[in-house]
Amino acid sequence: MAAAETEIRYLKGVGETRAKSLNKLGVFTLGDLVDYFPRSYEDRTQYSLIAASPLEEPVCIRALVANTPTLSRVKRGMQLVKFRAVDDSGSVDITFFNQSWIRNQIHQGETYIFYGKFSGNLTRRTMTNPDWEPETREGVKTGRILPKYPLCQGVSNKQLMRCIRTALDTIGDGVPDALPPRIREEYHLAQARYAYENIHFPTDFGALELARRRLIFEELFVLACAMDQLRSARTGLDGILIPPAEIGRFYAALPFTPTGAQKQAVVQALEDMASGRLMNRLIQGDVGSGKTMVAAACVWSVCSAGKQAAFMAPTEILAEQHLATMRGFLSPFGFRVEKLTGSMTAREKREIKAALAAGEIHLIVGTHALLTADVAFSDLALVITDEQHRFGVGQRGALSEKGHTPHVLVMSATPIPRTLALIIYGDLDVSVINELPPGRQKVDTFTVDESYRQRLYGFIEKLVGEGRQVFVVCPMVEENEEFDPTLKSAVEHAEALQEAFPQFKVACIHGKMKPKEKDAVMASVVAGTVDILVSTTVIEVGVDVPNAALMIVENAERFGLSQLHQLRGRVGRGRHKSWCILISNAKNEEAKARLKAMCETNDGFKISEEDLRLRGPGDFFGSRQHGLPEMHIADLCGDVRVLETAQSAAKALLKADPSLSSPENAALALRVRQLIESNQGTVN
Ligand code: ADP
Ligand code: MG
């Protein structure tokens, strides 16, 4: 019997060409093939009588062919095969387009099963291109629950069904199974073999439900085990003791007075670090609430104790900005702050790494480059990740391992649903910054269409004339990247704006530029020499330019609500009255509802709830920005009950076998390891 690891090209009926097509679906081995689940199912188990069936709904009928099928040619060489079929209740005219061979396969006087929709009217019914099979072969396409798979070119549903059938028969009991037998029994879950058989070819809906439950449980159970392992690597441990420093000295050097909420978050974090236990704290606060200062206060405290801190940002631009901000906060105290990012030269990196290892650098700000194996610290005591949902869960763990279990501070502006929080943050303590710095004005938000553009340009002219800066965000980088002439591309739009405003300096920034180029542009924006910055969403997260007073979003319907909220958060950060203009010609109701919600509230939590309601959990963070692995069959927001069960099962199992080293947990251990490894890559 072949193993699940066997490559699909060795499967009977799969040649090189078919194998290549299947590869496009992410299917390489027999195991992948049986793991390729249907997206939906068609219930073809119930037969209807012709006269009793509704129109325009798929039904299965069993009918006798009443006349000899005719073949005719109509315009443009189109071929029609036509005949009439009858049952005890009535008749239907059936037509097939461009399948002339059917004429020789369907015979007068024989009975067939047809699956399709009735059209026409109730007295004269028609059916076009139904799925069909002779009564004698019933059960292949009809009389059953038919799985429907996500397809690509070169692979039809029928072919996939056949390949999966063969694969299941070939692998037999060797289907992937990560569940230890004890767990399966305790939670009354189906056997793996049964589950795989019935997720693809369910005998009835009861069996399908059992199969789904088992597979969803398995997936969430593996995820819960992985998260638990990552977490237990750093919780419940002794933490480096950071004696409470006189934080008033730090506050005294700030250019502003901290808000009550900021101070409270700082107190909580400093207490954690002074407790002798490891800190795992999440600072959650809406955009612009001043999370960076809280981070800086913690860093100051750690550096004052003679130890090092690391600050991870999701993008180079942000790392650059945090570097500048942190230097502002910490250099007055003589602390050295440096950065380490992927775009630095090998020599620069070498020097920084040496200084870091020697303990000459107090705070290192960086991107994923901080995660590489050859970065060593002299005395790392605190790791901060900003907007952490952008990092893979595995990445977070990797940085924590670099010191002697450093304290962890996570900052997020994205309010997340409870279920996800349970997994992503699990045991983190949470500080909420529910207060904005004083003097902030609400960012007035409007949705407008193309007809408003001239007036908008007048507004830009006025604002820039007063010394303010303007952000314009476009969904695309270059024209033709996606064929839709109405989409604004950042590059071309910047040129157009420069032409419209020759007296102003327009700059453009997008993800395809080299990090050095991006840094240079961003630096001139912060310095105030750029008046209008056109960009793709690279500026979405965290960039702080207090002088910016207008955010314009082109093709706003293309963005998610939470994303728009982040974008809007780029303005209104200083003392200037600020605006956000969403440009959209969208007619669709859902898009309109989303943009309306943006205009009505500035509250990030409300917006995320609305986003979740309108778009569903799948899209919640845009493209997988939450850093969790992509789920195969489970729905992280929808399958809450199973998730909770799987989580407590995982906890109990890991309590008994923390390192998953017992033989009956071997398959589980392997899957958990694979999950963690596959998720260690960049999520951005
Ligand atoms: P976020 O929570 O989005 O990361 P930042 O930390 O970037 O917000 O802060 C946004 C802006 O508010 C920055 O320019 C920062 O200097 C300023 N700021 C932070 N705290 C205060 C405060 N207490 N009073 C006035 N301005 C503040
Ligand atoms: Mg921030």
Side-chain angles (χ1 to χ4, degrees), residues 124-305:
R124 200 183 147 83
R125 293 167 183 271
T126 59
M127 192 180 260
T128 308
N129 291 343
D131 255 356
W132 63 277
E133 64 195 345
E135 187 183 37
T136 48
R137 290 226 314 272
E138 174 186 351
V140 179
K141 278 192 247 169
T142 61
R144 65 179 296 168
I145 300 169
L146 194 86
K148 300 294 265 183
Y149 295 94
L151 303 173
C152 72
Q153 211 175 17
V155 189
S156 71
N157 202 60
K158 194 168 141 196
Q159 288 162 343
L160 256 175
M161 280 175 68
R162 200 180 302 138
C163 291
I164 290 172
R165 178 71 267 159
T166 318
L168 280 172
D169 294 340
T170 313
I171 305 182
D173 286 328
V175 289
D177 182 1
L179 283 186
R182 273 222 316 250
I183 297 282
R184 209 193 67 234
E185 279 152 30
E186 192 176 337
Y187 293 90
H188 309 290
L189 299 164
Q191 304 253 16
R193 180 75 222 264
Y194 177 92
Y196 277 96
E197 183 65 38
N198 282 284
I199 199 74
H200 291 292
F201 308 115
T203 48
D204 55 62
F205 282 99
L208 175 58
E209 203 36 53
L210 284 177
R212 271 181 55 81
R213 190 172 120 71
R214 138 94 204 201
L215 293 166
I216 289 173
F217 185 97
E218 182 174 359
E219 180 164 47
L220 294 175
F221 181 71
V222 170
L223 176 66
C225 286
M227 291 307 292
D228 210 280
Q229 288 224 308
L230 285 172
R231 197 175 292 148
S232 63
R234 60 191 169 83
T235 53
L237 297 168
D238 290 347
I240 302 159
L241 201 112
I242 307 294
E246 179 41 71
I247 195 70
R249 284 180 51 224
F250 175 75
Y251 291 156
L254 289 175
F256 48 71
T257 315
T259 63
Q262 283 173 319
K263 276 190 185 161
Q264 175 167 354
V266 171
V267 165
Q268 288 170 335
L270 296 192
E271 275 175 6
D272 287 349
M273 292 194 290
S275 71
R277 274 172 291 112
L278 195 63
M279 169 167 78
N280 281 291
R281 183 167 291 278
L282 168 70
I283 308 279
Q284 201 170 52
D286 210 342
V287 274
S289 59
K291 294 181 290 290
T292 319
M293 183 235 102
V294 174
C298 296
V299 172
W300 179 83
S301 181
V302 162
C303 298
S304 298

Side-chain angles (χ1 to χ4, degrees), residues 87-133:
D87 69 6
D88 291 344
S89 73
S91 69
V92 54
D93 289 323
I94 296 180
T95 308
F96 287 92
F97 284 98
N98 287 341
Q99 301 174 55
S100 54
W101 45 271
I102 284 182
R103 184 173 57 145
N104 302 322
Q105 297 202 345
I106 287 189
H107 308 289
Q108 180 185 16
E110 286 178 16
T111 299
Y112 300 83
I113 320 279
F114 298 98
Y115 177 82
K117 288 180 189 168
F118 286 116
S119 302
N121 56 50
L122 293 176
T123 46
R124 200 183 147 83
R125 293 167 183 271
T126 59
M127 192 180 260
T128 308
N129 291 343
D131 255 356
W132 63 277
E133 64 195 345

Side-chain angles (χ1 to χ4, degrees), residues 70-74 78-82 95-98:
T70 58
L71 175 68
S72 55
R73 279 171 220 283
V74 288
M78 181 115 69
Q79 297 172 322
L80 302 184
V81 173
K82 275 191 171 187
T95 308
F96 287 92
F97 284 98
N98 287 341

Side-chain angles (χ1 to χ4, degrees), residues 514-672:
K514 295 214 180 68
K516 275 232 152 59
E517 299 168 344
K518 283 195 253 180
D519 288 353
V521 174
M522 228 34 235
S524 38
V525 173
V526 173
T529 50
V530 168
D531 300 309
I532 303 173
L533 178 69
V534 183
S535 76
T536 51
T537 49
V538 283
I539 63 158
E540 178 191 338
V541 180
V543 177
D544 188 37
V545 182
N547 189 44
L550 175 60
M551 164 63 69
I552 298 171
V553 184
E554 298 281 351
N555 303 104
E557 73 282 353
R558 305 267 297 191
F559 297 83
L561 263 186
S562 298
Q563 214 179 0
L564 287 174
H565 182 62
Q566 292 282 333
L567 287 172
R568 174 169 61 185
R570 299 308 111 217
V571 297
R573 297 171 82 85
R575 55 201 158 75
H576 311 290
K577 169 75 196 151
S578 300
W579 291 266
C580 175
I581 308 287
L582 307 171
I583 304 185
S584 172
N585 296 319
K587 302 276 178 288
N588 110 25
E589 289 307 317
E590 192 240 277
K592 283 197 202 158
R594 252 189 298 139
L595 299 178
K596 182 152 168 274
M598 278 298 294
C599 298
E600 279 168 1
T601 180
N602 268 268
D603 181 332
F605 281 84
K606 279 212 191 98
I607 284 177
S608 81
E609 277 168 21
E610 190 64 12
D611 207 8
L612 192 62
R613 200 178 65 73
L614 289 171
R615 299 205 300 169
D619 275 344
F620 187 68
F621 293 102
S623 50
R624 287 188 59 212
Q625 290 179 356
H626 47 64
L628 284 175
E630 200 155 17
M631 290 291 104
H632 201 52
I633 180 167
D635 169 355
L636 284 176
C637 292
D639 293 317
V640 183
R641 293 268 286 286
V642 189
L643 176 61
E644 280 167 1
T645 318
Q647 226 164 9
S648 62
K651 269 219 158 60
L653 183 102
L654 285 165
K655 200 164 172 203
D657 182 9
S659 56
L660 295 179
S661 49
S662 91
E664 68 158 27
N665 294 334
L668 174 64
L670 179 68
R671 274 275 274 284
V672 167

Side-chain angles (χ1 to χ4, degrees), residues 298-337:
C298 296
V299 172
W300 179 83
S301 181
V302 162
C303 298
S304 298
K307 310 204 179 287
Q308 292 174 300
F311 194 153
M312 294 237 290
T315 62
E316 295 245 350
I317 292 182
L318 260 186
E320 191 62 44
Q321 183 152 58
H322 283 320
L323 174 72
T325 313
M326 287 292 164
R327 278 190 174 151
F329 285 136
L330 299 166
S331 334
F333 299 93
F335 297 133
R336 182 171 167 201
V337 183

Side-chain angles (χ1 to χ4, degrees), residues 341-572:
T341 60
S343 67
M344 290 163 59
T345 65
R347 181 165 163 205
E348 287 169 334
K349 285 187 205 160
R350 212 164 41 239
E351 282 171 11
I352 292 295
K353 284 178 195 165
L356 206 51
E360 292 157 12
I361 293 173
H362 297 89
L363 170 65
I364 187 81
V365 179
T367 53
H368 326 284
L370 283 179
L371 297 173
T372 51
D374 63 342
V375 179
F377 292 82
S378 135
D379 200 356
L380 179 64
L382 172 63
V383 171
I384 299 170
T385 57
D386 189 14
E387 308 292 351
Q388 80 87 38
H389 59 270
R390 291 220 165 187
F391 289 103
V393 288
Q395 291 181 322
R396 218 188 321 156
L399 192 54
S400 297
E401 276 155 27
K402 292 204 172 283
H404 307 280
T405 58
H407 296 292
V408 172
L409 191 68
V410 169
M411 299 196 296
S412 174
T414 315
I416 50 170
R418 200 182 69 89
T419 347
L420 286 186
L422 217 62
I423 289 207
I424 305 180
Y425 302 129
D427 57 331
L428 294 196
D429 299 313
V430 180
S431 301
V432 177
I433 308 188
N434 53 6
E435 185 184 351
L436 292 180
R440 285 289 164 75
Q441 304 177 44
K442 178 172 161 286
V443 177
D444 282 337
T445 307
F446 302 97
T447 304
V448 302
D449 62 18
E450 205 51 42
S451 66
Y452 191 84
R453 192 169 293 279
Q454 275 320 310
R455 262 185 290 168
L456 179 60
Y457 282 14
F459 189 46
I460 294 179
E461 186 156 13
K462 173 173 170 289
L463 276 181
V464 179
E466 289 167 3
R468 300 290 79 74
Q469 285 161 286
V470 175
F471 288 136
V472 183
V473 174
C474 302
M476 319 279 309
V477 185
E478 279 154 28
E479 227 123 82
N480 300 330
E481 191 177 79
E482 190 179 324
F483 190 73
D484 183 347
T486 62
L487 286 178
K488 283 268 175 277
S489 96
V491 177
E492 318 245 323
H493 194 43
E495 285 165 10
L497 282 170
Q498 185 64 81
E499 238 166 70
F501 300 106
Q503 73 276 36
F504 300 144
K505 172 102 179 77
V506 179
C508 180
I509 193 166
H510 55 76
K512 288 191 181 163
M513 285 162 67
K514 295 214 180 68
K516 275 232 152 59
E517 299 168 344
K518 283 195 253 180
D519 288 353
V521 174
M522 228 34 235
S524 38
V525 173
V526 173
T529 50
V530 168
D531 300 309
I532 303 173
L533 178 69
V534 183
S535 76
T536 51
T537 49
V538 283
I539 63 158
E540 178 191 338
V541 180
V543 177
D544 188 37
V545 182
N547 189 44
L550 175 60
M551 164 63 69
I552 298 171
V553 184
E554 298 281 351
N555 303 104
E557 73 282 353
R558 305 267 297 191
F559 297 83
L561 263 186
S562 298
Q563 214 179 0
L564 287 174
H565 182 62
Q566 292 282 333
L567 287 172
R568 174 169 61 185
R570 299 308 111 217
V571 297

